[in-house]
């Protein structure tokens, strides 16, 4: 709380804002619900690990500008990419849970939202999950990390190449909001140009979506029944994402040597 108040003190017009709650406190940043004059805002403050884990706030800013231009989000009120500070208006709504990610009707709506996202003009830097995985393994520096990276690399080599698009790259349930007007995606820090099927794989593999429901999700995304090669492409991406997630969890749970 003390750090958040100090950050607010450096934002013009928010010197007297009040921190009402901690919304999240993850390995790369902490987010706070802030109130000023009866209006609510979200303040995100980076931790040192943000840079170590490959987050690029300048690239994120380009994505936010593109999303603002497309009418997807409201422009942030304050952004300091050098210090990793972002202030935006609070969007009321209900954050999805893992249960939402297994409901066919909910997933169908999310599929359409992702399809619309992937149709926007590309923005931000190219998303490089294999390069990120290599960095995680080097930072941990243990035999287990090396083995996990080898599994990630093998799964990556088995991927089916395809067209790229502007992707969220982290559409886990905590980044999906049921808000006025429908489903919204939040927290764009990993967004960039990548494989749309990676977004789909995060939804399926991260939440353990059953195969029959995953098939319906893919069909809703495509707007038709999936072909065999499209189903295979999603399965391969799910396998890759699962290996990447194992390494990410190791990196964020273990102290860096030295």
């Amino acid at each position: 709380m003390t750090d958040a108040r100090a950050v607010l003190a450096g934002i013009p017009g928010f010197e007297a804002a009040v921190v009402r709650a901690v919304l999240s406190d993850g390995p790369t940043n902490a987010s706070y619900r802030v109130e000023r004059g009866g209006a609510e805002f979200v303040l995100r403050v980076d931790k040192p690990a943000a840079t170590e884990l490959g987050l690029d706030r300048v690239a994120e800013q380009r994505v936010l500008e593109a999303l603002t231009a497309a009418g997807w989000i409201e422009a942030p009120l304050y952004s300091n990419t050098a210090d990793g500070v972002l202030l935006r208006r609070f969007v009321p709504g209900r954050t999805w849970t893992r249960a939402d990610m297994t409901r066919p009707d909910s997933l169908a709506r999310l599929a359409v939202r992702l399809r619309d996202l992937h149709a926007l003009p590309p923005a931000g830097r190219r998303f490089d999950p294999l390069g990120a995985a290599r960095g995680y393994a080097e930072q941990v520096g243990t035999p287990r990390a090396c083995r996990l990276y080898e599994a990630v690399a093998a799964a990556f080599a088995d991927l089916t190449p395809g067209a790229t698009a502007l992707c969220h790259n982290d559409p886990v349930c905590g980044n999906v909001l049921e808000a006025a007007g429908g489903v919204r995606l939040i927290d764009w820090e990993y967004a960039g140009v990548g494989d749309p099927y990676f977004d789909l794989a995060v939804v399926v593999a991260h939440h353990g979506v059953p195969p029959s429901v995953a098939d319906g999700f893919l069909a809703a995304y495509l707007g038709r029944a999936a072909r065999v090669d499209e189903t295979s492409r999603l399965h391969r991406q799910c396998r890759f994402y699962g290996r990447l997630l194992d390494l990410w969890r190791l990196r964020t749970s273990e102290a860096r040597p030295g």
Side-chain angles (χ1 to χ4, degrees):
M1 289 287 193
T2 302
D3 290 344
R5 293 192 184 101
V7 171
L8 287 170
I11 300 177
F14 281 81
E15 297 87 350
V18 179
V19 177
R20 293 300 187 191
V22 178
L23 296 176
S24 64
D25 189 8
T28 61
N29 62 75
S31 293
Y32 307 86
R33 182 167 57 83
V34 174
E35 182 181 346
R36 184 196 67 172
E40 293 187 315
F41 307 86
V42 175
L43 173 71
R44 188 189 70 195
V45 183
D46 274 356
K47 297 180 180 180
T51 300
E52 294 177 1
L53 291 173
L55 294 181
D56 184 337
R57 296 309 187 191
V58 174
E60 179 193 24
Q61 182 64 29
R62 292 198 295 269
V63 171
L64 296 178
E65 290 169 357
L67 292 170
T68 300
W72 269 61
I73 65 170
E74 184 178 337
L77 299 175
Y78 177 84
S79 176
N80 184 327
T81 57
D83 293 338
V85 176
L86 185 73
L87 180 72
R88 62 173 176 83
R89 293 190 184 278
F90 177 79
V91 179
R94 180 183 67 84
T95 303
W96 277 24
T97 66
R98 295 183 72 91
D100 291 291
M101 290 294 200
T102 61
R103 296 188 182 114
D105 57 335
S106 297
L107 283 179
R109 293 188 296 120
L110 178 58
V112 172
R113 193 62 172 162
L114 288 172
R115 184 176 67 205
D116 291 344
L117 169 65
H118 298 156
L120 295 178
R125 69 175 182 176
R126 185 174 184 85
F127 182 58
D128 181 14
L130 184 62
R134 186 183 304 112
Y136 302 156
E138 291 173 350
Q139 289 164 9
V140 176
T142 63
R144 183 185 177 197
C146 292
R147 290 193 300 270
L148 287 176
Y149 173 71
E150 289 171 358
V152 172
F156 183 83
D158 196 38
L159 294 181
T160 304
T164 58
L166 174 57
C167 298
H168 186 281
N169 295 317
D170 193 26
V172 296
C173 57
N175 289 335
V176 182
L177 194 68
E178 194 72 45
V183 177
R184 297 187 57 158
L185 294 167
I186 59 175
D187 293 347
W188 297 90
E189 61 186 5
Y190 290 102
V193 181
D195 188 333
Y197 274 66
F198 184 84
D199 269 350
L200 305 182
V202 173
V203 172
V204 173
H206 192 92
H207 306 96
V209 177
S212 61
V213 179
D215 290 344
F217 171 62
L218 179 57
Y221 175 80
L222 296 170
R224 54 170 172 77
R227 301 190 306 264
V228 172
D229 63 302
E230 292 165 332
T231 301
S232 175
R233 184 179 174 187
L234 178 57
H235 288 170
R236 291 167 189 258
Q237 279 283 0
C238 285
R239 184 164 57 249
F240 170 67
Y241 175 75
R243 304 294 186 270
L244 180 64
L245 182 61
D246 289 340
L247 185 52
W248 162 263
R249 285 172 171 164
L250 177 66
R251 169 62 182 86
T252 56
S253 66
E254 292 193 4
R256 184 176 177 180

